[in-house]
Amino acid sequence: MTSHEIDYKIIGEDIQVVEVELDPNETVIAEAGAMLYMEDGIQFETKMGDGSEPNQSIMGKIFQAGTRLITGESLFMTHFTNRGYGKKKVAFAAPYPGTIMPIDLRLIPGNELIVQKDGFLCAALGTSMKIHFNQRIGSGLFGGEGFILQKLRGDGMAFVHAGGVMMERQLNNEMLRVDTGCVVGFEPSISFDIQRAGGLKSMVFGGEGMFLATLRGTGKVYLQSMPISKLIDRLSPRGGNAKKESGSVLGGLGDLFEG
């Protein structure tokens, strides 16, 4: 397993772009529709799968592509390759306001990172993307990320997008409780579960939702300040209702009666 070694630059503040510089015959893979611009000499091709296993059978590629459909992603991925002379650049834009986090998978224990299903933006060729089933029923039903997450594996650069500001926290045999939608990713050594948000009064009137994500162990955790679901809720016509407790049970009851 050897990923292509790519150079990059993050551009922007609130709505970021990652500009990747490719040597001749180097390739970067990306989600369909993520490309912003590419210089002359860059050629792109839509393929099934991530290309991390070039000798994979047709059935294997179909199965791998099918697992992407389970996570809600496109069946295909786009491969951008420098077929020209000298270094060439291709850039990818974040799908909504937020932060692009460059992650060197070589520095992560086991070369693996678990991310939310829509967090992946692009990566060096050689990076493998597979589904990761959340084995805890509670976190699957109430965790915001659901049963199915994405597992990135490789020894090169990967780029993950998050809403708002992305924060990196290092846990040392500690526990951290987080708003369920604000978990972007975590290392495999971290245990992810769901707990009630305090007592009944706090769950009903607290405005923080009925459940919180609980992260335990030793390793890195990546958080986002404004998940896309929360952004959509705030921008929607009903999201602006005066003093609406969107995260509480009362907010949900209000939606029911208003609907």
Side-chain angles (χ1 to χ4, degrees):
M1 178 182 62
T2 302
S3 301
H4 288 193
E5 296 184 10
I6 60 175
D7 299 317
Y8 69 92
K9 179 173 65 174
I10 304 295
I11 303 171
E13 298 294 335
D14 297 325
I15 304 179
Q16 294 188 326
V17 172
V18 55
E19 183 184 72
V20 177
E21 186 177 70
L22 300 175
D23 292 328
N25 296 317
E26 281 187 343
T27 300
V28 61
I29 58 176
E31 289 289 356
M35 191 272 293
L36 176 63
Y37 63 81
M38 57 183 177
E39 294 182 345
D40 186 32
I42 299 288
Q43 295 183 6
F44 67 94
E45 184 178 3
T46 301
K47 298 181 180 181
M48 278 190 179
D50 51 44
S52 60
E53 301 177 40
N55 297 322
Q56 191 178 36
S57 65
I58 296 297
M59 290 304 298
K61 291 180 180 179
I62 292 175
F63 176 78
Q64 184 183 43
T67 59
R68 286 178 51 77
L69 286 180
I70 295 176
T71 65
E73 303 294 343
S74 170
L75 183 65
F76 300 94
M77 297 198 68
T78 310
H79 296 227
F80 296 84
T81 304
N82 180 4
R83 299 299 186 189
Y85 297 98
K87 297 178 181 292
K88 301 294 181 181
K89 296 177 181 177
V90 55
F92 305 96
Y96 51 90
T99 307
I100 297 175
M101 176 73 78
I103 298 174
D104 190 344
L105 294 174
R106 292 175 299 181
L107 305 180
I108 297 179
N111 303 124
E112 292 182 347
L113 183 70
I114 299 169
V115 300
Q116 64 176 352
K117 60 185 180 180
D118 59 350
F120 172 75
L121 183 62
C122 61
L125 180 65
T127 304
S128 169
M129 277 159 291
K130 301 183 182 299
I131 59 174
H132 174 78
F133 289 98
N134 200 329
Q135 298 179 355
R136 296 180 183 271
I137 295 178
S139 57
L141 293 176
F142 306 109
E145 286 77 14
F147 285 109
I148 302 172
L149 305 169
Q150 288 190 98
K151 180 184 291 184
L152 305 182
R153 187 171 189 270
D155 55 4
M157 295 300 304
F159 301 89
V160 176
H161 177 260
V165 176
M166 182 183 285
M167 294 157 285
E168 177 183 315
R169 292 290 304 268
Q170 174 67 45
L171 301 185
N172 297 301
N173 196 25
E174 298 171 294
M175 185 265 285
L176 184 69
R177 289 191 292 178
V178 185
D179 181 286
T180 54
C182 293
V183 179
V184 178
F186 48 91
E187 294 181 353
S189 57
I190 296 295
S191 172
F192 176 77
D193 200 1
I194 294 297
Q195 288 186 348
R196 292 187 306 169
L200 181 61
K201 182 178 180 181
S202 297
M203 293 172 65
V204 175
F205 300 104
E208 302 299 337
M210 298 181 65
F211 300 92
L212 293 174
T214 302
L215 302 157
R216 300 175 185 268
T218 298
K220 290 183 179 179
V221 173
Y222 299 91
L223 309 175
Q224 59 184 348
S225 64
M226 181 59 69
I228 184 62
S229 57
K230 185 177 293 186
L231 178 62
I232 291 173
D233 180 67
R234 294 302 184 186
L235 293 178
S236 65
R238 293 190 301 171
N241 285 350
K243 297 184 180 179
K244 174 184 172 182
E245 300 290 350
S246 62
S248 68
V249 175
L250 294 183
L253 292 175
D255 284 344
L256 179 63
F257 289 117
E258 287 176 10

